[in-house]
Amino acid sequence: MKLNNTPLFFFCLLSLITFSQTDFTDHQMKWTKGWTNFAPNTTEYPEHEEVLSNIINNDVYLSNDVTYLMSGNLYIINNATLTIEEGTIIRCDADNPTSLIVTKGSKLIASGAKGAPIVFTSNKPQKTRKPGDWGGIIIAGSGVINSPSVSKTIEGNFLPQHSLYAGTQTDEQTVILSFVRIEYAGKKINQSKELNGLSLYALGSNSIINNVMVSYSADDSFECYGGQTEMYNLISYKAKDDDFDFTLGYQGVLYNVMAIRHPYISDISGSYAIEIDGYDQSDGFSNTTSLSNIRIKNGTFVNLADKNNYQHTTSAISSKNLGRLTIIDSKISGFANVAKFDETYNTYADLQKHFSFENGIFNVHSNSLLTKNKLQTSIDKLLKYNMYTNQFRGVKDIFTDPLNEKNPKFTLKESESYTVMQ
């Protein structure tokens, strides 16, 4: 790891310590067991028995004794509720533009179980599925966004009468999503735009998102456009673009989140484990007190890089337009930098106000932090109270079994020596 030009000893005390996985609260990996799938291309799913309608305008219940095909965009409209039973499998047509759109005022209840998750996946046979086989899941809520417009239109080529989102209902509940897998989504719309695995538009505080795994998305895995939903137990696995993307004044707390990237999988524009925009620069904002503000606890952000391919990696975090991010009790490993900040962070005081990473560990191969603006104060002070590796280490040197194709483990190896910033 490289530090900025100001000598580290001017602003922190360094002490060499040895700690084990029992000293650093890991939570690996009890919450992932029983419902995840890290090798979905080898899984043989049953053929579909029923094709879903493209419009749901009355309450509908999907049973797990039927395998469904979603072909073409499916809209839940007219304040209807789609309820999906635990263990249900929905195959998604790779030959047609296919997404599930929960329109404003309607509702999705997809409550899986640990031993019986709900699965949205490609309808292609095993070993032939690819990122972007189908679109994704889009939830349009009535919550608040930080924008001059009270409401906006969801991204994508969708029916305009079913594309509005946002409002003033801070406590609305549009979705219950629990123990759900979303595989091979992110279909390309055009040369510059693809859909996300899970797009969350202006959800209120009573919407429920937990135990969701998005695998092999061709664009972002999770993207939040405003709203203020607390979420936990989220996994992004080998996304092409960002793992977790926040914009339009999203305010929320995330517990137990994991992003596993590969150094050879990235979008041409640059991809990050976390991308945060305080506001949409093209749209502006309604007030400065409601810029995006995210708090993450127990995060694992890993790029599966080693000393042969680490040069293909970028920052773990990209922070723009005065987005605010707090990360505690977390691991960042395999990236070039912990975070980079755009030109809107003019001073060290701006960075102190908008970024905090404490009680964590990081293993990067270039400068720990990057800024567009040249600052008088060394910004590495922002990383105090964290442990770091003195030299970059490959993923197998840091974690117990990270390359296991079916059950990877990201528990820190015992007896590793780190340096601590105080």
Side-chain angles (χ1 to χ4, degrees), residues 329-347:
D329 300 338
S330 297
K331 305 185 289 288
I332 293 174
S333 180
F335 297 88
N337 327 99
V338 172
K340 67 176 185 179
F341 304 92
D342 76 351
E343 63 279 359
T344 60
Y345 303 88
N346 289 309
T347 66

Side-chain angles (χ1 to χ4, degrees), residues 270-282:
S271 304
Y272 310 94
I274 301 171
E275 183 170 55
I276 174 173
D277 282 274
Y279 58 92
D280 185 337
Q281 193 169 30
S282 64

Side-chain angles (χ1 to χ4, degrees), residues 100 102 108 120 134-139 177 180 182 196-199:
L100 173 61
V102 183
L108 172 65
F120 293 83
W134 62 288
I137 298 177
I138 296 147
I139 316 292
L177 209 63
V180 172
I182 302 168
N196 306 307
L198 179 60
S199 299

Side-chain angles (χ1 to χ4, degrees), residues 84-98:
I84 305 176
E85 186 179 16
E86 63 183 47
T88 301
I89 297 171
I90 299 176
R91 307 291 297 271
C92 301
D93 194 346
D95 295 324
N96 291 313
T98 298

Side-chain angles (χ1 to χ4, degrees), residues 16-28:
L16 198 62
I17 66 169
T18 299
F19 77 104
S20 70
Q21 61 195 52
T22 58
D23 299 313
F24 188 87
T25 304
D26 197 280
H27 297 278
Q28 169 68 24

Side-chain angles (χ1 to χ4, degrees), residues 45-74:
Y45 292 111
E47 293 295 320
H48 75 269
E49 302 157 279
E50 185 175 321
V51 180
L52 294 171
S53 169
N54 293 114
I55 295 289
I56 292 177
N57 55 14
N58 293 295
D59 293 352
V60 170
Y61 181 87
L62 302 185
S63 171
N64 62 18
D65 59 3
V66 175
T67 299
Y68 299 91
L69 175 69
M70 186 164 63
S71 181
N73 293 326
L74 190 163

Side-chain angles (χ1 to χ4, degrees), residues 98-316:
T98 298
S99 292
L100 173 61
I101 302 100
V102 183
T103 67
K104 187 175 175 180
S106 300
K107 192 169 184 178
L108 172 65
I109 301 176
S111 293
K114 192 166 188 177
I118 294 166
V119 181
F120 293 83
T121 192
S122 169
N123 72 327
K124 287 184 176 180
Q126 63 188 122
K127 298 183 180 180
T128 67
R129 301 162 195 147
K130 297 183 297 184
D133 274 351
W134 62 288
I137 298 177
I138 296 147
I139 316 292
S142 303
V144 176
I145 57 175
N146 191 359
S147 167
S149 305
V150 176
S151 65
K152 289 172 65 70
T153 302
I154 62 177
E155 297 180 0
N157 294 336
F158 300 112
L159 296 174
Q161 67 268 36
H162 299 315
S163 296
L164 289 178
Y165 73 93
T168 59
Q169 300 179 32
T170 58
D171 60 349
E172 64 99 63
Q173 185 184 78
T174 296
V175 62
I176 299 175
L177 209 63
S178 182
F179 292 108
V180 172
R181 296 203 309 265
I182 302 168
E183 301 168 354
Y184 300 102
K187 194 176 188 71
K188 183 183 287 291
I189 298 173
N190 54 46
Q191 288 301 315
S192 61
K193 191 63 185 176
E194 294 167 323
L195 296 170
N196 306 307
L198 179 60
S199 299
L200 304 174
Y201 287 90
L203 300 189
S205 57
N206 286 325
S207 288
I208 296 172
I209 308 285
N210 63 66
N211 295 286
V212 178
M213 180 178 191
V214 181
S215 304
Y216 295 100
S217 174
D219 200 58
D220 299 344
S221 289
F222 298 83
E223 183 158 7
C224 298
Y225 303 80
Q228 52 187 54
T229 305
E230 182 176 299
M231 299 181 279
Y232 64 91
N233 293 2
L234 308 179
I235 302 174
S236 169
Y237 189 65
K238 294 188 177 179
K240 181 179 179 182
D241 204 359
D242 306 318
D243 296 284
F244 298 93
D245 197 336
F246 308 97
T247 188
L248 284 173
Y250 171 78
Q251 314 275 312
V253 180
L254 284 69
Y255 301 92
N256 290 349
V257 295
M258 177 183 291
I260 308 303
R261 303 194 59 80
H262 192 282
Y264 296 138
I265 303 175
S266 180
D267 190 76
I268 192 170
S269 61
S271 304
Y272 310 94
I274 301 171
E275 183 170 55
I276 174 173
D277 282 274
Y279 58 92
D280 185 337
Q281 193 169 30
S282 64
D283 193 44
F285 54 85
S286 57
N287 62 81
T288 57
T289 59
S290 299
L291 301 177
S292 299
N293 188 352
I294 296 96
R295 182 179 177 86
I296 295 175
K297 181 177 174 61
N298 296 330
T300 299
F301 306 102
V302 176
N303 199 309
L304 301 174
D306 57 34
K307 293 182 179 179
N308 296 315
N309 55 29
Y310 70 88
Q311 66 272 19
H312 299 290
T313 65
T314 184
S315 298

